[in-house]
mmCIF file of all heavy atoms in Angstrom:
data_model
loop_
_atom_site.group_PDB
_atom_site.id
_atom_site.type_symbol
_atom_site.label_atom_id
_atom_site.label_comp_id
_atom_site.label_asym_id
_atom_site.label_seq_id
_atom_site.Cartn_x
_atom_site.Cartn_y
_atom_site.Cartn_z
ATOM 1 N N GLY A 460 18.520 22.228 46.648
ATOM 2 C CA GLY A 460 18.057 23.172 47.650
ATOM 3 C C GLY A 460 19.047 23.376 48.782
ATOM 4 O O GLY A 460 20.206 22.965 48.703
ATOM 5 N N PRO A 461 18.580 24.001 49.853
ATOM 6 C CA PRO A 461 19.495 24.440 50.911
ATOM 7 C C PRO A 461 19.969 23.315 51.815
ATOM 8 O O PRO A 461 19.326 22.263 51.938
ATOM 9 C CB PRO A 461 18.645 25.445 51.699
ATOM 10 C CG PRO A 461 17.236 24.956 51.517
ATOM 11 C CD PRO A 461 17.181 24.427 50.112
ATOM 12 N N ALA A 462 21.094 23.581 52.454
ATOM 13 C CA ALA A 462 21.568 22.715 53.530
ATOM 14 C C ALA A 462 20.705 22.962 54.768
ATOM 15 O O ALA A 462 20.132 24.042 54.933
ATOM 16 C CB ALA A 462 23.030 23.012 53.836
ATOM 17 N N PRO A 463 20.606 21.982 55.638
ATOM 18 C CA PRO A 463 19.800 22.187 56.841
ATOM 19 C C PRO A 463 20.512 23.064 57.855
ATOM 20 O O PRO A 463 21.745 23.149 57.892
ATOM 21 C CB PRO A 463 19.624 20.764 57.381
ATOM 22 C CG PRO A 463 20.861 20.045 56.921
ATOM 23 C CD PRO A 463 21.172 20.620 55.566
ATOM 24 N N ALA A 464 19.725 23.720 58.679
ATOM 25 C CA ALA A 464 20.214 24.369 59.886
ATOM 26 C C ALA A 464 19.748 23.530 61.070
ATOM 27 O O ALA A 464 18.953 22.586 60.907
ATOM 28 C CB ALA A 464 19.666 25.792 59.974
ATOM 29 N N ILE A 465 20.246 23.847 62.240
ATOM 30 C CA ILE A 465 19.806 23.122 63.426
ATOM 31 C C ILE A 465 18.281 23.239 63.549
ATOM 32 O O ILE A 465 17.720 24.325 63.460
ATOM 33 C CB ILE A 465 20.490 23.671 64.686
ATOM 34 C CG1 ILE A 465 21.993 23.427 64.621
ATOM 35 C CG2 ILE A 465 19.897 23.043 65.945
ATOM 36 C CD1 ILE A 465 22.392 21.970 64.574
ATOM 37 N N GLY A 466 17.631 22.104 63.704
ATOM 38 C CA GLY A 466 16.177 22.053 63.792
ATOM 39 C C GLY A 466 15.505 21.616 62.513
ATOM 40 O O GLY A 466 14.320 21.285 62.520
ATOM 41 N N ASP A 467 16.236 21.615 61.397
ATOM 42 C CA ASP A 467 15.672 21.199 60.116
ATOM 43 C C ASP A 467 15.796 19.683 59.929
ATOM 44 O O ASP A 467 16.657 19.017 60.529
ATOM 45 C CB ASP A 467 16.407 21.874 58.953
ATOM 46 C CG ASP A 467 16.074 23.344 58.819
ATOM 47 O OD1 ASP A 467 14.974 23.748 59.258
ATOM 48 O OD2 ASP A 467 16.910 24.095 58.279
ATOM 49 N N VAL A 468 14.947 19.153 59.058
ATOM 50 C CA VAL A 468 15.051 17.753 58.685
ATOM 51 C C VAL A 468 16.165 17.578 57.661
ATOM 52 O O VAL A 468 16.586 18.532 56.991
ATOM 53 C CB VAL A 468 13.719 17.223 58.116
ATOM 54 C CG1 VAL A 468 12.652 17.155 59.197
ATOM 55 C CG2 VAL A 468 13.260 18.068 56.936
ATOM 56 N N VAL A 469 16.656 16.338 57.536
ATOM 57 C CA VAL A 469 17.728 16.002 56.597
ATOM 58 C C VAL A 469 17.217 14.918 55.652
ATOM 59 O O VAL A 469 16.853 13.821 56.079
ATOM 60 C CB VAL A 469 18.982 15.509 57.342
ATOM 61 C CG1 VAL A 469 20.043 15.043 56.354
ATOM 62 C CG2 VAL A 469 19.530 16.610 58.238
ATOM 63 N N GLY A 470 17.182 15.259 54.355
ATOM 64 C CA GLY A 470 16.701 14.304 53.359
ATOM 65 C C GLY A 470 17.808 13.529 52.690
ATOM 66 O O GLY A 470 17.579 12.429 52.172
ATOM 67 N N ARG A 471 19.016 14.097 52.676
ATOM 68 C CA ARG A 471 20.139 13.431 51.999
ATOM 69 C C ARG A 471 21.446 13.832 52.677
ATOM 70 O O ARG A 471 21.648 14.979 53.034
ATOM 71 C CB ARG A 471 20.193 13.839 50.519
ATOM 72 C CG ARG A 471 21.191 13.034 49.684
ATOM 73 C CD ARG A 471 21.177 13.483 48.230
ATOM 74 N NE ARG A 471 21.866 12.533 47.369
ATOM 75 C CZ ARG A 471 21.283 11.580 46.670
ATOM 76 N NH1 ARG A 471 19.962 11.473 46.698
ATOM 77 N NH2 ARG A 471 21.973 10.746 45.935
ATOM 78 N N MET A 472 22.338 12.842 52.847
ATOM 79 C CA MET A 472 23.685 13.073 53.370
ATOM 80 C C MET A 472 24.688 12.535 52.372
ATOM 81 O O MET A 472 24.580 11.380 51.929
ATOM 82 C CB MET A 472 23.898 12.348 54.703
ATOM 83 C CG MET A 472 23.088 12.852 55.850
ATOM 84 S SD MET A 472 23.611 12.042 57.389
ATOM 85 C CE MET A 472 25.187 12.868 57.695
ATOM 86 N N LEU A 473 25.674 13.338 52.018
ATOM 87 C CA LEU A 473 26.729 12.879 51.129
ATOM 88 C C LEU A 473 27.719 12.011 51.896
ATOM 89 O O LEU A 473 27.990 12.225 53.077
ATOM 90 C CB LEU A 473 27.466 14.063 50.509
ATOM 91 C CG LEU A 473 26.630 15.001 49.639
ATOM 92 C CD1 LEU A 473 27.518 16.104 49.072
ATOM 93 C CD2 LEU A 473 25.942 14.239 48.516
ATOM 94 N N ASP A 474 28.237 11.023 51.191
ATOM 95 C CA ASP A 474 29.238 10.112 51.732
ATOM 96 C C ASP A 474 30.591 10.807 51.736
ATOM 97 O O ASP A 474 31.148 11.099 50.680
ATOM 98 C CB ASP A 474 29.256 8.842 50.881
ATOM 99 C CG ASP A 474 30.422 7.933 51.180
ATOM 100 O OD1 ASP A 474 31.027 8.071 52.258
ATOM 101 O OD2 ASP A 474 30.710 7.071 50.334
ATOM 102 N N ARG A 475 31.141 11.046 52.912
ATOM 103 C CA ARG A 475 32.403 11.771 53.030
ATOM 104 C C ARG A 475 33.605 10.922 52.599
ATOM 105 O O ARG A 475 34.687 11.462 52.364
ATOM 106 C CB ARG A 475 32.564 12.237 54.477
ATOM 107 C CG ARG A 475 33.791 13.059 54.740
ATOM 108 C CD ARG A 475 33.780 13.661 56.127
ATOM 109 N NE ARG A 475 35.066 14.265 56.434
ATOM 110 C CZ ARG A 475 35.312 14.994 57.511
ATOM 111 N NH1 ARG A 475 34.355 15.227 58.387
ATOM 112 N NH2 ARG A 475 36.512 15.496 57.723
ATOM 113 N N SER A 476 33.435 9.608 52.473
ATOM 114 C CA SER A 476 34.563 8.737 52.118
ATOM 115 C C SER A 476 35.019 8.911 50.683
ATOM 116 O O SER A 476 36.117 8.484 50.328
ATOM 117 C CB SER A 476 34.177 7.265 52.337
ATOM 118 O OG SER A 476 33.353 6.793 51.280
ATOM 119 N N GLY A 477 34.169 9.496 49.832
ATOM 120 C CA GLY A 477 34.484 9.615 48.415
ATOM 121 C C GLY A 477 33.994 8.458 47.582
ATOM 122 O O GLY A 477 34.201 8.428 46.359
ATOM 123 N N ASN A 478 33.307 7.498 48.202
ATOM 124 C CA ASN A 478 32.825 6.322 47.478
ATOM 125 C C ASN A 478 31.430 6.501 46.883
ATOM 126 O O ASN A 478 30.923 5.607 46.210
ATOM 127 C CB ASN A 478 32.836 5.100 48.401
ATOM 128 C CG ASN A 478 34.240 4.657 48.746
ATOM 129 O OD1 ASN A 478 35.123 4.627 47.891
ATOM 130 N ND2 ASN A 478 34.467 4.320 50.016
ATOM 131 N N GLY A 479 30.800 7.639 47.148
ATOM 132 C CA GLY A 479 29.506 7.924 46.528
ATOM 133 C C GLY A 479 28.348 7.150 47.101
ATOM 134 O O GLY A 479 27.290 7.065 46.468
#
Side-chain angles (χ1 to χ4, degrees):
I465 295 298
D467 287 334
V468 292
V469 175
R471 189 179 194 96
M472 293 187 74
L473 298 181
D474 169 19
R475 183 171 171 172
S476 77
N478 291 318

